[in-house]
Amino acid sequence: MGDSTATATDLDVKLEQHRVELTGYCYRMLGFSFEAEDAVQDTMVRAWRSHGKFEGRSSLRSWLYRIATNVCLDMLTAGSKRARPMDLTDSAPLARAALSTRPDNAWLEPMPDARVLPTVEDPAEAAVAKESVRLAFMAALQQLPAKQRAVLILREVLAWKASEVAELLDTSVASVNSALQRARATLAERDRAGADATVSDPLDEEQQKLLERYVAAFEGYDMTALTALLHEDAVMTMPPFDLWLTGPEDITGFMTTLGAPCAGSHLVPVAVNGLPGFAQYKPDEETGGFSPWAVQVLEISDGRITGFHCFLDTKRWFPLFGLPLSLPLDAEAKADQIQEGE
């Protein structure tokens, strides 16, 4: 019995070594944070149950990816596509801004970097991994048929050989190459429709200073200072609302009208989707402290903020990021404590 227990423990350890990268893979496939973690757990359970049948003709990692791919393809048979507000509606001018919600399963969801980006020594490999979970790229992936999505991720992001992908998908190398070509063409069309954010990894000095100015402007609710930081074509989104706004005038106009209760907020830095982000806590009149309001994800290009994305379902997102669901009045001290504990 001792040997079997040791063997089971060894298997647990070996499987767990792959959890983060498999979560990243499933997240790219599904676009949904919690479904990705469910898919990985299902993968682990299937691997555990059928490990006795694993013949070792491929590596354990390849075998796990095969299981995870099948799990994701099964979950995607309904054909649902995760999206951002700009993928679903036209931009609304501030004068016609209306806060209409859509179901949770409509939205591309945020994900903490730590849950999907394994630690790697190669800076170039780390940069590719971060780029591949950014919101714009994730939204583009959602436009691909499921098998094309898998081929593109395995070939372009994870750098698998065509022969390895063909074996995993039980298809031919020619079929894999054809799927990759079609997937690249679809992504190229989307790239022409709008440039992605350009964020250094790690952030360069200019980008760090931009974020510091952003925090000062947002926490001070200084719309003049914020306007100076926003690109003229900057976009603001607020899932689960399908409203999205374009340009500094409409964005700051919204913040001083419908968004006015956010004045006096505190921001706590978070690493999200390979981009800089913040957990936003706004004043809570009932407690005298601060309550969670949004996970903010910022896109940056050419020294300006081009995307300002606020995910508002805080009861789901804050626990996922390991964030408390309240801050005391002395929020700055508490925010420092949170960051030190990371």
Side-chain angles (χ1 to χ4, degrees):
M1 180 168 177
D3 288 346
S4 64
T5 302
T7 302
T9 302
D10 290 345
L11 179 57
D12 281 337
V13 171
K14 289 177 180 177
L15 294 177
E16 283 300 317
Q17 288 174 347
H18 299 282
R19 183 177 290 275
V20 173
E21 65 170 310
L22 286 172
T23 304
Y25 176 63
C26 293
Y27 175 61
R28 294 178 185 99
M29 285 291 292
L30 302 170
F32 188 16
S33 311
F34 295 99
E35 276 190 6
E37 297 200 326
D38 289 345
V40 173
Q41 192 57 36
D42 191 0
T43 297
M44 296 298 189
V45 170
R46 293 190 192 189
W48 176 267
R49 288 175 177 169
S50 59
H51 189 255
K53 301 176 184 176
F54 176 52
E55 299 174 357
R57 287 180 297 180
S58 62
S59 67
L60 176 65
R61 180 174 182 256
S62 297
W63 184 59
L64 287 171
Y65 269 94
R66 175 189 285 270
I67 298 171
T69 300
N70 289 332
V71 170
C72 289
L73 292 177
D74 288 345
M75 294 172 77
L76 287 167
T77 51
S80 59
K81 293 180 180 178
R82 299 276 166 172
R84 302 170 298 170
M86 63 276 279
D87 301 320
L88 301 175
T89 64
D90 292 329
S91 176
L94 180 60
R96 295 206 307 270
L99 297 178
S100 304
T101 61
R102 296 204 184 197
D104 289 341
N105 62 11
W107 302 116
L108 184 65
E109 297 187 338
M111 191 65 140
D113 284 0
R115 289 182 178 255
V116 292
L117 297 176
T119 302
V120 295
E121 294 182 3
D122 182 355
E125 186 180 341
V128 168
K130 277 196 169 186
E131 289 170 5
S132 70
V133 293
R134 289 179 182 162
L135 296 174
F137 185 79
M138 288 287 297
L141 283 177
Q142 299 301 302
Q143 301 306 308
L144 300 175
K147 286 195 175 180
Q148 281 187 33
R149 200 180 307 176
V151 167
L152 184 90
I153 296 167
L154 291 165
R155 291 282 285 119
E156 301 280 88
V157 178
L158 301 176
W160 284 39
K161 297 176 182 177
S163 57
E164 294 172 327
V165 178
E167 182 179 353
L168 182 144
L169 295 175
D170 291 323
T171 189
S172 66
V173 169
S175 177
V176 167
N177 289 336
S178 177
L180 180 60
Q181 188 175 9
R182 294 196 302 275
R184 283 172 172 168
T186 300
L187 263 60
E189 285 294 325
R190 288 184 65 89
D191 284 344
R192 283 198 287 272
D196 195 2
T198 52
V199 181
S200 301
D201 181 29
L203 296 177
D204 61 31
E205 185 178 356
E206 181 186 5
Q207 291 167 346
Q208 288 282 12
K209 288 181 177 178
L210 174 63
L211 292 181
E212 290 169 7
R213 292 166 62 198
Y214 168 76
V215 170
F218 193 95
E219 291 188 341
Y221 232 58
D222 182 341
M223 295 301 121
T224 300
L226 187 60
T227 295
L229 305 180
L230 295 173
H231 190 277
E232 62 182 8
D233 296 323
V235 167
M236 178 182 183
T237 68
M238 295 162 285
F241 300 118
D242 59 14
L243 171 74
W244 61 285
L245 301 163
T246 306
E249 185 176 350
D250 276 1
I251 291 172
T252 57
F254 179 88
M255 291 175 65
T256 54
T257 53
L258 291 174
C262 290
S265 292
H266 281 280
L267 301 181
V268 177
V270 293
V272 51
N273 285 86
L275 292 164
F278 296 93
Q280 178 193 342
Y281 292 84
K282 72 173 186 175
D284 187 327
E285 294 181 0
E286 291 186 10
T287 66
F290 296 84
S291 297
W293 182 247
V295 171
Q296 300 181 0
V297 185
L298 302 187
E299 293 169 326
I300 299 171
S301 184
D302 299 326
R304 291 287 184 272
I305 294 169
T306 56
F308 173 45
H309 307 289
C310 303
F311 294 89
L312 303 182
D313 192 352
T314 53
K315 288 183 179 179
R316 301 175 72 208
W317 304 134
F318 276 52
L320 186 69
F321 282 80
L323 294 161
L325 290 176
S326 65
L327 285 182
L329 184 59
D330 187 10
E332 290 185 0
K334 182 64 175 178
D336 290 341
Q337 180 183 335
I338 294 168
Q339 292 174 63
E340 288 170 5
E342 287 180 347

